[in-house]
Amino acid sequence: MAAFKLAVVGTYSSGKTTLVEGLLKHDSDLRLLPEHARRAITVCGIDAIKSIETRDYLIVANLLDEAEADKQSEPAISDSGLINNLAHEALFFNPPPDRTRLLTSYQHRMYDAVFLCDHTGVDLVDDGQRMPDNDLRLRLHDLVLDVLVRMNIAPLLLTGNPQVRLRAALKTVDELRKARI
């Protein structure tokens, strides 16, 4: 049986990375999947993630990482990953590319839990890796929700301060672990 697979999603500056770091600190068995979009932004700048070639790479890289995670014995967690990448494509392209065949060909397995970080009450941080536009941030939030609906995913909405979010996520991780015993 494959280990469980988690996704942390939401718009930018919604607390995703803070939550992932907290989960990794409290659960040493979790394996973090690479966040390829950050790498692309760090190397080439924010505009690099808006090209179709980069989007193709990001989707394939996410699918490969998750397929490998499905074959491992330790649970894996994705910070943004596939769901956020699909939402970004809808933000950058009209119409966005149809990735249905790609997900099928890579035999994408659905997540065991998806944590949706609410951006409300989280300051918009401009660290050079985000677009400092609050309207765009809200639009991306709506697009993440659209992707979740299209993929038939019911996420656990995480609100409140980082400690409250972490406790709720750890409870879900603990339930998943107990269900696999």
Side-chain angles (χ1 to χ4, degrees):
M1 177 187 307
F4 58 86
K5 185 170 61 175
L6 309 169
V8 178
V9 302
T11 192
Y12 52 92
S13 284
S14 62
K16 295 181 305 292
T17 300
T18 300
L19 177 65
V20 168
E21 289 170 351
L23 286 167
L24 292 169
K25 181 179 174 186
H26 283 83
D27 191 329
S28 61
D29 290 339
L30 281 176
R31 184 167 63 94
L32 178 62
L33 298 178
E35 191 178 352
H36 299 281
R38 265 191 213 266
R39 179 177 173 219
I41 293 167
T42 299
V43 172
C44 300
I46 191 77
D47 286 335
I49 65 167
K50 298 176 184 177
S51 77
I52 191 64
E53 295 83 5
T54 301
R55 301 306 326 166
D56 290 342
Y57 162 76
L58 294 173
I59 294 293
V60 170
N62 284 144
L63 289 169
L64 286 170
D65 290 339
E66 290 190 18
E68 288 177 345
D70 287 341
K71 297 176 190 300
Q72 304 298 316
S73 59
E74 68 269 1
I77 186 166
S78 172
D79 180 348
S80 297
L82 183 66
I83 293 168
N84 269 57
N85 274 317
L86 293 170
H88 274 90
E89 289 187 344
L91 183 66
F92 299 143
F93 306 111
N94 188 15
D98 182 357
R99 301 297 190 176
T100 308
R101 284 186 33 217
L102 194 58
L103 269 68
T104 301
S105 68
Y106 279 84
Q107 300 173 2
H108 183 258
R109 182 179 70 82
M110 209 42 66
Y111 304 96
D112 297 286
V114 174
F115 303 116
L116 173 61
C117 292
D118 182 23
H119 63 282
T120 307
V122 179
D123 291 335
L124 176 58
V125 176
D126 181 7
D127 62 358
Q129 294 197 330
R130 297 175 175 95
M131 295 162 273
D133 179 331
N134 201 49
D135 291 337
L136 199 59
R137 180 184 185 207
L138 297 174
R139 173 121 170 81
L140 185 59
H141 170 77
D142 290 340
L143 293 169
V144 168
L145 293 176
D146 289 346
V147 170
L148 292 168
V149 168
R150 280 197 324 268
M151 293 180 80
N152 200 27
I153 296 172
L156 173 61
L157 177 63
L158 298 178
T159 60
N161 67 45
Q163 295 79 22
V164 169
R165 293 173 183 221
L166 180 59
R167 277 195 301 274
L170 284 170
K171 180 180 176 194
T172 299
V173 170
D174 190 45
E175 290 168 357
L176 286 169
R177 196 175 304 288
K178 286 177 183 173
R180 300 229 181 245
I181 296 176

